[in-house]
Amino acid sequence: MVTGPSRRSLLLALAGAAAVTGFDPATRAWATAAHTDPNFATLPALDGRLLLAPADFGPYEDDFGHIIHRTPAAVLLPGSVEDVANLIRFAGPLGIPVAPRGQGHQTYGQAQANAGVVIDMSTLDSIAVQTSSMAVTAQAGALWHSVLTACVADNLTPPVFPDYIELSVGGTLSVGGIGGATSRFGAQVDTVTALQVVTGAGEIVSCSAIENCDLFEAALAGLGQVGVITSATFALIPAPQMVRQYTLAYPTEPALTADQRKVVEDGRFDWLEGQLSPATPSGWTFALEGAVYYRDGNPPVDSTVLAGLDYAGTATTADFTYVDFVNQLAAGVAFLESTGEWYDPHPWLNLFLPDAEVDAYMQTTLASLSATDIGASGVVLLYPVPSRLLTRPLLRTPDSTLVFLFALLRTASPDTDALPVPQALARNRTLYDEAVSVGATQYPIGSIPNLTHADWANQYGHELARFTALKRRYDPHFIMTPGQGIFRERGE
Ligand SMILES: Cc1cc2nc3c(=O)[nH]c(=O)nc-3n(C[C@H](O)[C@H](O)[C@H](O)COP(=O)(O)OP(=O)(O)OC[C@H]3O[C@@H](n4cnc5c(N)ncnc54)[C@H](O)[C@@H]3O)c2cc1C
């Protein structure tokens, strides 16, 4: 049943021929105000709600980047997986774009749908832990925080979390899902054993490595191109009780990466990242962040953990419960929410760099970056991931046995001297081009303007032909997730 606006107002809202309203730089296509008359009388009754009032669209025409804004024609709050399927079956033949949205934490309009329908997945958020098989099945709209809470109640945990756990299961599985435990367990997509997907043809399909494997592989890190992930099943591990985190300072970037290579190889840390901070307008500080899980009363021996590492000064240690460790960003986020900086524009750049090039690229890049470029609350991450742990074909990383995630998490606060958004975007584009020229790929969660077909062809390499074929097969009307801007035209 459609609740809220009447079917008549819904018809009025969506009826009418397509009218060009402007050029959309992110999708590189002409934006239109509406598509052909959808004759909504044919949309089956819904278990959830369809929002049609523009006053309700605010969050759906925006995201964490606050850079791209596109107005949908409607927003679906699904009450069931069937609602998702019915909406897509309705939209496909009419060519109405459809974008699933988790928490809208991408930064460049990737979960938006101009004149289309945004599906707010947050209403599908059930979680079922199967203790006997050490697995959890979570609906795509569930937050990682909720998954953590449900699993640790049974002393279990997913092996990998992103640094920020208020992201949705479907959102991070659509991009990959990287965190400090990726150095040991791969990305979140590598821990998934089964999915339920509503394809772009509106079919509800179960898939795994042995059942409908091509859909499984196209949905994981598939940027929402073949359909909507509606639920995922993950392998769990026993939840650690306590965590000791070590922060080690390094004088230079090569000194940091040298020790990161050492520790990722010998596996002394259960969790490994690295952070760079602009200490002065021209200088940087470099920190290795490693963590060891332990049981209460039996902490790791620091001298053993730190043996052979070439850091400067004294190691800083901090002990957390496992839950507090996984959620340690919460305090910083609460602070940024209180100052308002959390709501400033975020023109982020996220790249995977090949090991052989990381030091040269970073030294050139850091020489051109200052505190102003990052913004007062911005962060720069640099940490290694062994490629052998990254098994999903669409999570594209450089051809190198070790790759480094470089995350330039800028905040462009309009009321400070931070780099304004247009300049930050232009810098992102230049840094992306320079990185690609040395074999990098992008981790596609950020804000890189003017991506062309050649850029995507470079990103996907030999996988592009298969990805395109699967797109045609599972999204025959090319309606799914246009904000990613990968498949510009139908049949491309
Ligand atoms: C503060 C912060 C910290 C972050 N830290 C990390 C980190 O440590 N590691 C990391 O890997 N990433 C991190 N990210 C990036 C994050 O993983 C991505 O932005 C992710 O897409 C956000 O999830 P979301 O639920 O907001 O997804 P959304 O932004 O809503 O969606 C992301 C994309 O996936 C599509 N999508 C959403 N749900 C589905 C679905 N169910 N099925 C198919 N497609 C779907 C959307 O259309 C969109 O294209 C961080 C982001 C922020 C803002």
Side-chain angles (χ1 to χ4, degrees):
M1 181 183 68
V2 178
T3 58
S6 68
R7 281 174 187 258
R8 184 178 136 71
S9 62
L10 193 141
L11 260 168
L12 289 173
L14 288 180
V20 174
T21 57
F23 192 75
D24 183 334
T27 57
R28 294 163 293 116
W30 288 100
T32 53
H35 292 257
T36 51
D37 183 347
N39 187 9
F40 250 84
T42 61
L43 178 64
L46 298 171
D47 298 316
R49 294 199 304 142
L50 196 67
L51 306 179
L52 291 162
D56 294 330
F57 293 164
Y60 307 103
E61 19 182 47
D62 197 5
D63 55 32
F64 191 71
H66 309 302
I67 298 166
I68 300 286
H69 299 93
R70 302 190 198 101
T71 303
V75 174
L76 175 66
L77 305 180
S80 62
V81 173
E82 287 70 25
D83 277 0
V84 176
N86 284 332
L87 185 277
I88 290 178
R89 278 200 288 269
F90 168 80
L94 298 171
I96 297 172
V98 173
R101 183 185 197 271
Q103 290 295 307
H105 275 18
Q106 288 205 321
T107 61
Y108 208 56
Q110 290 94 332
Q112 297 175 26
N114 185 62
V117 182
V118 173
I119 305 179
D120 180 343
M121 296 299 293
S122 67
T123 52
L124 299 180
D125 64 349
S126 72
I127 299 168
V129 181
Q130 299 114 41
T131 45
S132 57
S133 55
M134 289 182 64
V136 61
T137 298
Q139 283 192 304
L143 301 183
W144 284 106
H145 197 159
S146 308
V147 175
L148 172 69
T149 303
C151 293
V152 293
D154 287 312
N155 297 316
L156 296 169
T157 182
V160 186
F161 285 95
D163 293 347
Y164 179 55
I165 58 175
E166 311 306 329
L167 306 169
S168 76
V169 167
T172 67
L173 293 188
S174 296
V175 298
I178 306 286
T182 295
S183 60
R184 174 151 295 182
F185 294 101
Q188 289 186 300
V189 286
D190 295 295
T191 69
V192 176
T193 55
L195 293 175
Q196 183 190 62
V197 176
V198 176
T199 69
E203 292 172 355
I204 303 172
V205 182
S206 299
C207 57
S208 68
I210 51 174
E211 180 187 18
N212 300 312
C213 176
D214 57 358
L215 179 61
F216 186 63
E217 291 190 338
L220 291 172
L223 304 180
Q225 294 306 302
V226 295
V228 179
I229 296 171
T230 44
S231 68
T233 302
F234 304 85
L236 300 176
I237 60 171
Q241 205 175 27
M242 297 292 295
V243 181
R244 177 163 294 181
Q245 183 170 8
Y246 298 84
T247 304
L248 313 176
Y250 289 82
T252 62
E253 186 274 345
L256 167 67
T257 54
D259 267 3
Q260 285 179 320
R261 288 184 191 95
K262 193 181 293 179
V263 300
V264 82
E265 173 71 23
D266 65 28
R268 72 181 77 187
F269 291 119
D270 295 301
W271 182 101
L272 175 65
E273 294 197 0
Q275 189 162 327
L276 283 48
S277 306
T280 66
S282 59
W284 288 81
T285 61
F286 306 92
L288 183 153
E289 297 171 312
V292 177
Y293 302 157
Y294 68 96
R295 299 207 71 74
D296 207 3
N298 192 18
V301 176
D302 295 343
S303 58
T304 307
V305 172
L306 301 176
L309 299 184
D310 205 11
Y311 56 95
T314 313
T316 305
T317 63
D319 292 275
F320 300 86
T321 65
Y322 177 67
V323 168
D324 285 349
F325 174 75
V326 173
N327 193 25
Q328 70 171 292
L329 225 56
V333 171
F335 174 75
L336 293 177
E337 285 174 344
S338 73
T339 63
E341 288 164 277
W342 186 249
Y343 309 103
D344 284 335
H346 294 102
W348 283 6
L349 176 69
N350 300 74
L351 301 169
F352 286 114
L353 300 166
D355 185 18
E357 303 292 342
V358 64
D359 293 336
Y361 177 85
M362 287 305 301
Q363 284 177 66
T364 308
T365 298
L366 294 178
S368 72
L369 286 179
S370 67
T372 304
D373 288 286
I374 315 302
S377 60
V379 174
V380 181
L381 302 179
L382 182 70
Y383 61 84
V385 177
S387 296
R388 68 185 155 75
L389 300 177
L390 304 175
T391 61
R392 304 302 181 202
L394 293 185
L395 181 55
R396 303 298 297 160
T397 53
D399 184 13
S400 167
T401 52
L402 191 68
V403 299
F404 281 78
L405 177 76
F406 167 46
L408 182 53
L409 309 180
R410 307 171 186 268
T411 304
S413 309
D415 50 356
T416 69
D417 62 354
L419 198 64
V421 167
Q423 284 92 319
L425 292 175
R427 292 281 289 130
N428 283 357
R429 178 71 219 195
T430 304
L431 291 174
Y432 166 74
D433 287 333
E434 289 168 359
V436 166
S437 74
V438 297
T441 58
Q442 62 153 318
Y443 183 41
I445 62 171
S447 308
I448 303 172
N450 306 319
L451 286 173
T452 63
H453 181 75
D455 293 323
W456 288 112
N458 187 66
Q459 173 80 2
Y460 286 106
H462 66 273
E463 286 294 336
L464 183 66
R466 181 162 176 257
F467 193 18
T468 306
L470 292 170
K471 172 80 174 170
R472 281 202 185 94
R473 177 165 161 204
Y474 289 111
D475 180 19
H477 303 287
F478 276 62
I479 58 167
M480 292 306 308
T481 318
Q484 294 286 358
I486 304 170
F487 298 100
R488 224 180 339 173
E489 293 160 7
R490 189 172 296 191
E492 185 182 15

